[in-house]
Amino acid sequence: DHLRNDKRIRFAEETVNGETVTITCYMVADPSLWQIHLANECRGIVFNSKGDCISRPFHKFFNVGEREDTQLHNLQELTEVLEKRDGSLIVPVLVGGQIAWKSKKSFYSDVAVEAGKNAPANVHNYASYCLLKDMTPVFEYTSDNNRVVSDYGSESKFVLLAVRDNVTGDYISYDQMSQVAVDLYGVEVIKKYDMTIQDCLEQAKTLENFEGWCLRNPVT
């Protein structure tokens, strides 16, 4: 509530499955905004009418070298290197007893509606597993209709990027996420590389037709 009067942040209400929810998302990438308590969470986080957090996608993250805490000398040597896909972030949300799919800012964007229609049974079942545990699975969705730059083929695809606790904001470790998603549900998980940050920086100078990498501190 202390952010409601900040014009850089939008509080948007949408009616989904008969319930009113509030989507909170920053509209202006102002560096001073990230100094405000909880502003980093305003990246598509969703609350129900009681004020409970029912969807908690990624917090705001930054490029290498963009600010002091992402300068090379401040990054951990054991950083996990994950593929960065060129698609749309999409999350399932449990609303009114049903799963609704949402993009960063809306349940009714074209990509959210398309993803909801195309989610295969195993992805839907895994989403249900996470949501019933009050966790948000975060997917990258790609399809011919939603191509940005990279071509991932004509088949629509959901790739699991992360799983986050709605209440604490904690992320599930990559290994734990993979064990459940891949082994029990057959859901594709984002690729992890055996590389260092320096490897990434060197390859980025010449690599073509590749979106890039996301660096993540290991979760124990």
Side-chain angles (χ1 to χ4, degrees), residues 84-182:
K84 183 182 187 299
R85 289 178 66 84
D86 186 26
S88 296
L89 184 142
I90 201 87
V91 294
V93 187
L94 189 61
V95 188
Q98 301 179 59
I99 293 178
W101 291 87
K102 171 190 162 291
S103 57
K104 181 179 176 181
K105 297 179 180 178
S106 177
F107 287 89
Y108 299 106
S109 64
D110 291 344
V111 66
V113 172
E114 179 186 324
K117 292 178 180 178
N118 291 338
N122 65 323
V123 169
H124 183 90
N125 292 338
Y126 176 72
S128 179
Y129 162 83
C130 291
L131 295 172
L132 291 174
K133 290 180 173 292
D134 211 7
M135 299 186 298
T136 296
V138 183
F139 293 90
E140 191 83 0
Y141 176 71
T142 55
S143 74
D144 254 359
N145 295 330
N146 187 48
R147 185 184 302 178
V148 182
V149 177
S150 300
D151 184 0
Y152 295 109
S154 59
E155 183 181 356
S156 61
K157 183 176 290 188
F158 292 75
V159 177
L160 183 65
L161 305 180
V163 179
R164 198 174 186 204
D165 189 292
N166 288 343
V167 178
T168 66
D170 292 340
Y171 288 86
I172 304 302
S173 72
Y174 182 89
D175 289 343
Q176 183 181 356
M177 175 180 77
S178 299
Q179 287 171 2
V180 176
V182 176

